[in-house]
């Protein structure tokens, strides 16, 4: 397949590109920094700085849309929230326009979203059929991202939307920062630790994206989360145990709220999400439990 990927230079996209290239797919990646992206991507990957660089007569069979500003790097001022929103919506709109412009419409688009779609949901057990429990910024961001992606279906494109949990890998995402902190014995439980954390191993995440791209008939919303979500307290203890360090520390909720403002909601709230549709369709998780996932990552050089 000829596959166009946005966010291909990132943590998830980079791993996806390596797997796609190994499967013999031809890759085009959209990046704001083509030179930097090229140095990270498999040999032979074409990197474009703008979708305008793609001609009307080019053949693109599938699109994977992962681009978006990182949610964790700065406090959420109103202007930061606009940037987080625009970085996802503008890219998605440009992809929809590209699909419209190409002489031959791509057959499939796989577009990102997050379990934040459900809002801070307490202990509620959530599947793809659940609605948002709180219409907070995480919900508004994901909902707008999903609605924009849905515009491609009018053009006959098969669309999968992937509501992703916290992706665990050594080379990016949350664990890249946390692993060394826990190795130093400085990891901390967040607040009372009762909030739910729906996570997924990077290898299962990539397998879900590949399946959505390559399998005819696969479409709609999918929760990309392991079948065993955990509380933050469980996660804290499991990570400390994976790096063989004690876990006595607590980051008090008021301190996190003071330091991080609204962004603290991502750490102090959460979602208890189940991958019902993947399981119903027979998807097998390589890493269903957190302990198996962390054990694997502990043996992975970063
Ligand atoms: P990364 O931060 O590692 O990569 C994001 C990519 O998006 C980068 O490669 C970058 O490409 C591109 N990007 C960043 N800012 C902008 C911008 N302003 N405009 C256009 N493109 C931009 O993210 P991940 O790989 O971890 O995640 C991929 C997507 O999945 C993100 O949208 C994220 O929100 C979502 N997600 C991730 C989760 C996780 O745990 N990692 C959990 C749930 C959802 P370049 O610099 O080359 O232009």
């Amino acid at each position: 397949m000829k596959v166009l990927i946005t966010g291909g230079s990132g943590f998830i996209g980079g791993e996806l590109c390596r797997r796609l290239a190994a499967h013999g797919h031809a890759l085009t990646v959209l990046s704001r920094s083509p030179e930097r992206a090229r140095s990270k991507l498999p040999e032979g990957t074409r990197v474009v700085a703008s979708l305008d660089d793609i001609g009307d007569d080019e053949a693109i069979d599938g699109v994977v849309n992962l681009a978006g500003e990182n949610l964790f790097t700065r406090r959420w001022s109103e202007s930061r929230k606009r940037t987080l929103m625009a970085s996802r919506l503008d890219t998605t709109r440009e992809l929809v326009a590209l699909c419209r412009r190409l002489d031959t419409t791509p057959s499939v688009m796989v577009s990102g979203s997050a379990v934040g779609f459900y809002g801070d949901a307490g202990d509620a057990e959530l599947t793809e059929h659940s609605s948002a429990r709180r219409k907070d910024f995480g919900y508004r961001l994901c909902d707008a991202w999903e609605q924009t992606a849905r515009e491609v279906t009018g053009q006959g494109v098969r669309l999968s939307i992937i509501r992703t949990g916290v992706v665990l890998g050594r080379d990016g995402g949350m664990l890249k920062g946390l692993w060394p902190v826990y190795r130093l014995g400085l990891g901390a439980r967040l607040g009372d630790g009762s909030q739910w954390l729906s996570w997924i191993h990077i290898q299962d995440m990539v397998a879900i994206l590949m399946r959505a791209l390559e399998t005819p008939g696969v479409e709609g919303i999918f929760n990309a989360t392991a079948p065993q979500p955990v509380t933050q307290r469980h996660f804290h203890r499991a990570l400390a145990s994976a790096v063989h360090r004690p876990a006595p520390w607590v980051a008090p909720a008021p301190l996190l709220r003071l330091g991080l403002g609204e962004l603290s909601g991502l750490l102090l709230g959460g979602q208890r999400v189940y991958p019902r549709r993947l399981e119903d369709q027979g998807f097998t998780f390589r890493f269903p439990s957190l302990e198996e996932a962390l054990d694997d990552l502990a043996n992975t050089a970063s």
Side-chain angles (χ1 to χ4, degrees):
M1 270 174 101
K2 291 186 174 146
V3 187
L4 168 66
I5 303 118
T6 76
S9 65
F11 167 43
I12 302 170
E15 197 55 41
L16 174 69
C17 287
R18 285 186 278 284
R19 190 86 69 88
L20 285 168
H23 279 229
H25 296 293
L27 311 181
T28 300
V29 166
L30 174 70
S31 172
R32 296 163 303 164
S33 317
E35 279 313 310
R36 192 180 52 85
R38 215 167 273 126
S39 69
K40 293 186 185 176
L41 287 163
E43 211 173 313
T45 303
R46 174 188 179 204
V47 183
V48 294
S50 159
L51 295 181
D52 293 340
D53 296 342
I54 297 175
D56 295 357
D57 57 351
E58 286 191 39
I60 292 176
D61 305 307
V63 177
V64 182
N65 178 30
L66 298 170
E69 283 277 343
N70 191 302
L71 270 77
F72 285 94
T73 46
R74 270 184 240 162
R75 279 170 72 105
W76 291 353
S77 63
E78 287 310 310
S79 108
R80 181 66 184 163
K81 287 201 253 184
R82 279 195 295 277
T83 303
L84 294 171
M85 193 68 93
S87 64
R88 289 169 177 78
L89 269 49
D90 291 352
T91 313
T92 309
R93 278 190 203 109
E94 286 165 22
L95 283 175
V96 172
L98 176 74
C99 290
R100 220 168 262 152
R101 168 166 79 72
L102 289 173
D103 295 343
T104 309
T105 310
S107 57
V108 54
M109 176 153 129
V110 182
S111 199
S113 182
V115 295
F117 173 86
Y118 301 107
D120 178 13
D123 287 331
E125 297 190 10
L126 305 163
T127 72
E128 291 86 352
H129 301 297
S130 308
S131 49
R133 299 299 157 123
R134 266 194 66 204
K135 300 205 166 174
D136 49 23
F137 177 69
Y139 160 77
R140 293 199 303 278
L141 180 64
C142 294
D143 184 52
W145 198 8
E146 293 186 8
Q147 295 297 346
T148 308
R150 280 206 177 91
E151 289 172 26
V152 290
T153 55
Q155 297 159 58
V157 178
R158 172 169 67 81
L159 174 69
S160 288
I161 289 176
I162 312 295
R163 289 186 185 151
T164 308
V166 171
V167 181
L168 301 183
R170 293 288 295 277
D171 297 329
M174 183 176 85
L175 220 47
K176 185 176 183 188
L178 280 189
W179 199 275
V181 173
Y182 273 77
R183 281 289 297 270
L184 289 169
L186 296 175
R189 195 186 78 204
L190 306 176
D192 69 9
S194 64
Q195 66 277 34
W196 285 88
L197 193 151
S198 293
W199 60 275
I200 184 163
H201 190 293
I202 181 71
Q203 287 183 30
D204 282 329
M205 179 64 197
V206 169
I208 290 164
L209 294 169
M210 298 273 292
R211 175 182 180 275
L213 194 62
E214 294 178 331
T215 317
V218 167
E219 62 186 333
I221 306 284
F222 291 94
N223 289 336
T225 59
Q228 298 174 28
V230 296
T231 60
Q232 206 281 327
R233 184 188 304 111
H234 179 143
F235 180 83
H236 165 62
R237 287 187 184 143
L239 180 51
S241 161
V243 299
H244 309 292
R245 293 289 186 280
W249 307 109
V250 175
L255 200 67
L256 289 170
R257 283 194 198 99
L258 191 70
L260 300 174
E262 191 178 347
L263 168 58
S264 65
L266 281 192
L267 305 177
L268 295 170
Q271 300 81 16
R272 184 183 190 179
V273 177
Y274 293 87
R276 172 75 56 81
R277 289 198 69 226
L278 284 170
E279 292 195 310
D280 286 351
Q281 293 179 12
F283 180 82
T284 305
F285 285 85
R286 255 187 91 183
F287 301 100
S289 81
L290 181 64
E291 283 69 18
E292 286 169 279
L294 292 176
D295 188 44
D296 174 73
L297 295 170
N299 294 315
T300 308
S302 79

